[in-house]
Amino acid sequence: MLWWSAFTALTGLIYPTAFWPPLAFGLMLVVRFLFGMGEAGAYPNIARAFHNWFPLQERGTAKGAVWMAGRFAGGVTPMIVLALIFEHQADGVTMVSWRHTFWIFGALGVVWTICFWWWFRDRPEQKKGANAAEIALIHQSESAHHDEPFQVPWFRLLRSGNLWLLCGMYWCGAYGWYFNITYLPDYLQDQFGMSKGTKWTGEWWYFSLMAGLPLLFGSMACLFGGLLTDQFIKRTGNRKWGRRLFGMVGHGLCALFYFGAIAMPSPGLFVLGIALAAFWNDMTMGASWASCIDIGGRYSGIVSGCMNTIGNLGASWPMSSRDGSLDSSRTAWIKEQLLMSRPADPVGR
């Protein structure tokens, strides 16, 4: 998290260069790559921690709660960022100040890291306040002792059909879902003629809500889906169908709502269709990540890391393969800010 926060802050320190414009673009690639290295370990590490801290029948709910928080934060982020960004005049030119948003989020990450380091322990036995009954409940479903040598069974993991099916599922889910956090705001402007409006006006609030609605819907579904998968297992004792059923129903309905959204004639109906697709996609998150813990056990960080890696490759595919019909205004903005040295560069002063 500390690594991740540092490179978030460094993102706001990259400026255009007059002597060699591509330098800023190269620096941005390096910084964002290093940022991704830190971010990539977050959810696999959480999965490993949950293996240590939660009994089998509560892992879906725990993972659902984590994803609920992530989706909710993503849903309100457009409003926060738009509120933090401001315009000002310099030499008769309108400047958009945005760099400080990266510094603020980076600083918040550092504060969170310090608090978490003080509070968290790797295992319940190391935590004051965890009594013997709680520890016994947590460890009742463990098949291996944590003090055994840690040797990753790569061959056995890579031969697991369940692991590859999970990876394929996550590829397909991320392929469509990442539209919500990358192109959706631009799409609403380009295809439906929506405007961000002036800050704090009704138009501004409406646009911010539309941009964040899929994630807000998804946040509710993450927790709800996690609760359902755990309740199913508690009632039936069938872990296989407790994980499988919610994936089948969730992804099936997600696809239907995606296809329905394509035919919607208005931005409100389009966003509602996308939001419902996001809802059913995220109904599967608790079961998906709990499955990684079920399959991987003490190697759940590696299993979930494999699934997450393949998912992010799926998410990057449409971004690298899309044609001119989805020419985003963000692309032009990046070129303007990083590849062109302009005296009116918005530096966030």
Side-chain angles (χ1 to χ4, degrees):
M1 185 66 186
L2 190 61
W3 176 285
W4 180 357
S5 301
F7 284 100
T8 295
L10 285 173
T11 302
L13 293 176
I14 299 174
Y15 292 86
T17 54
F19 65 92
W20 190 34
L23 176 62
F25 183 72
L27 288 173
M28 179 65 79
L29 286 179
V30 171
V31 168
R32 298 310 290 174
F33 175 82
L34 293 173
F35 164 86
M37 286 179 59
E39 182 186 24
Y43 287 109
N45 282 333
I46 292 172
R48 184 65 177 90
F50 280 9
H51 171 265
N52 291 348
W53 273 93
F54 288 89
L56 183 150
Q57 66 272 18
E58 296 179 6
R59 291 170 181 170
T61 303
K63 290 302 299 184
V66 168
W67 281 100
M68 176 195 68
R71 295 291 199 255
F72 180 79
V76 300
T77 293
M79 301 181 190
I80 297 173
V81 172
L82 287 174
L84 290 173
I85 292 175
F86 61 91
E87 296 181 353
H88 61 94
Q89 296 290 323
D91 299 326
V93 178
T94 300
M95 308 275 284
V96 180
S97 296
W98 53 270
R99 298 178 184 275
H100 59 285
T101 61
F102 288 92
W103 304 332
I104 291 171
F105 289 133
L108 289 174
V110 172
V111 172
W112 183 92
T113 300
I114 294 171
C115 294
F116 188 76
W117 174 83
W118 171 79
W119 175 79
F120 181 74
R121 297 295 179 270
D122 289 339
R123 301 191 64 85
E125 298 93 324
Q126 303 166 350
K127 180 72 173 177
K128 291 181 179 180
N131 59 48
E134 290 174 315
I135 294 172
L137 176 64
I138 291 169
H139 292 325
Q140 66 182 359
S141 58
E142 286 191 5
S143 59
H145 298 292
H146 65 271
D147 55 354
E148 293 179 355
F150 190 87
Q151 295 181 343
V152 181
W154 289 107
F155 185 68
R156 178 164 60 87
L157 290 175
L158 293 176
R159 288 191 305 116
S160 171
N162 285 332
L163 173 57
W164 287 110
L165 287 172
L166 276 175
C167 290
M169 173 275 299
Y170 221 60
W171 168 290
C172 296
Y175 183 96
W177 186 86
Y178 265 67
F179 173 84
N180 301 328
I181 60 173
T182 54
Y183 191 66
L184 178 57
D186 289 334
Y187 189 87
L188 293 175
Q189 294 179 89
D190 297 344
Q191 300 299 318
F192 291 104
M194 291 188 67
S195 172
K196 294 179 181 178
T198 305
K199 190 178 292 185
W200 311 123
T201 64
E203 187 179 29
W204 181 86
W205 282 108
Y206 182 68
F207 184 87
S208 299
L209 178 62
M210 291 295 100
L213 195 64
L215 277 78
L216 294 176
F217 270 47
S219 70
M220 297 183 292
C222 286
L223 182 60
F224 192 42
L227 287 167
L228 287 178
T229 184
D230 283 346
Q231 287 300 315
F232 186 96
I233 294 173
K234 289 177 181 178
R235 289 175 178 269
T236 67
N238 192 326
R239 178 168 41 165
K240 180 177 72 173
W241 279 101
R243 306 300 190 211
R244 179 183 293 176
L245 178 63
F246 297 96
M248 294 168 60
V249 173
H251 287 300
L253 290 173
C254 170
L256 289 177
F257 280 107
Y258 269 136
F259 283 118
I262 295 173
M264 293 297 103
S266 67
L269 290 175
F270 173 79
V271 170
L272 179 61
I274 293 293
L276 288 171
F279 177 89
W280 287 107
N281 176 82
D282 286 349
M283 279 286 290
T284 72
M285 295 303 290
S288 298
W289 285 82
S291 295
C292 292
I293 303 175
D294 296 342
I295 294 170
R298 67 195 303 235
Y299 310 108
S300 54
I302 295 170
V303 171
S304 56
C306 288
M307 184 183 77
N308 202 36
T309 298
I310 298 299
N312 280 280
L313 289 174
S316 67
W317 185 258
M319 301 303 145
S320 61
S321 62
R322 71 188 186 194
D323 59 23
S325 63
L326 292 180
D327 184 25
S328 170
S329 60
R330 182 183 292 114
T331 302
W333 185 86
I334 291 174
K335 290 179 180 178
E336 183 180 71
Q337 300 304 318
L338 295 179
L339 298 183
M340 299 181 182
S341 178
R342 304 185 308 128
D345 173 49
V347 297
R349 288 189 289 268

